[in-house]
Amino acid sequence: MTLFVRLIPLLSIACAGLAACEPAKTPPARMLAVAKIDGVEISEPRLRLPPNGRDVTAGYLTLTNSSDKAQKLVGASSPKAQRVELHAHLKGADGMAQMRQVEQVEIPAKGTAVLAPGGLHLMVFGIKDPLKAGDSFPVELTFAGNRKVGFAMPVVENPSQKTEGDTGHGGHPH
């Protein structure tokens, strides 16, 4: 019995090792586009649930450009918000990162631009109706040349209950 008790940890390690070497049963899912325009695919859209009844939040997505020329995202809007702006975290003169509105987001030829927490993102101001996780939020993106494409962003929980709009926008004129 003592030998058996001593072998249990070794058997557990061996089984775990075999499981780790096992090939994946399914390949990773390809990002599915929710909208396309002139070679640009929009995928992984999500809008953070505004915290504490606020009407400001951030939206994120991935823009993949399959064309041979760079594309430019120049604006966004929603019938469910007063305004939607393109934002980025930029270093100020003091070296501190601050959120600022940007005029455009470039999507390189055969490349990708990711709008994600801590980087480029959409800022949504003046949300007209209260949102809850699982809702769909309509958004229209505008690309250079006044080319527009609309789609729905799912509203997702925000575990930290803090959005891009919680800091850096106090007294912000835009």
Side-chain angles (χ1 to χ4, degrees):
M1 182 88 161
T2 327
L3 178 60
F4 182 75
V5 172
R6 288 184 191 164
L7 288 176
I8 290 175
L10 293 174
L11 290 172
S12 297
I13 292 169
C15 290
L18 289 174
C21 294
E22 183 179 323
K25 293 186 178 14
T26 56
R30 182 178 177 274
M31 292 186 297
L32 297 177
V34 296
K36 296 179 184 181
I37 184 169
D38 300 331
V40 176
E41 289 187 354
I42 296 114
S43 61
E44 300 181 315
R46 61 212 179 276
L47 185 77
R48 282 185 167 182
L49 184 64
N52 308 321
R54 295 200 42 206
D55 67 349
V56 176
T57 194
Y60 310 108
L61 49 90
T62 299
L63 301 165
T64 304
N65 182 3
S66 63
S67 76
D68 291 327
K69 69 176 198 166
Q71 303 280 345
K72 292 180 182 172
L73 174 65
V74 297
S77 64
S78 173
K80 300 276 187 176
Q82 290 176 356
R83 69 186 187 279
V84 180
E85 299 175 355
L86 306 175
H87 277 227
H89 285 270
L90 304 171
K91 285 194 177 180
D94 60 2
M96 298 295 292
Q98 301 172 344
M99 278 183 281
R100 294 284 182 238
Q101 184 176 9
V102 295
E103 296 299 315
Q104 64 189 22
V105 172
E106 185 163 325
I107 308 111
K110 304 286 186 193
T112 301
V114 178
L115 282 66
L120 295 166
H121 57 279
L122 300 177
M123 279 304 304
V124 182
F125 297 93
I127 296 170
K128 296 178 180 176
D129 298 313
L131 296 173
K132 63 184 182 310
D135 285 350
S136 288
F137 189 82
V139 173
E140 183 176 75
L141 300 181
T142 303
F143 292 83
N146 203 32
R147 298 169 296 131
K148 299 179 184 231
V149 62
F151 56 94
M153 296 183 89
V155 177
V156 298
E157 287 286 344
N158 183 2
S160 70
Q161 285 302 301
K162 183 177 179 187
T163 69
E164 302 292 347
D166 281 346
T167 60
H169 284 82
H172 211 346
H174 65 85

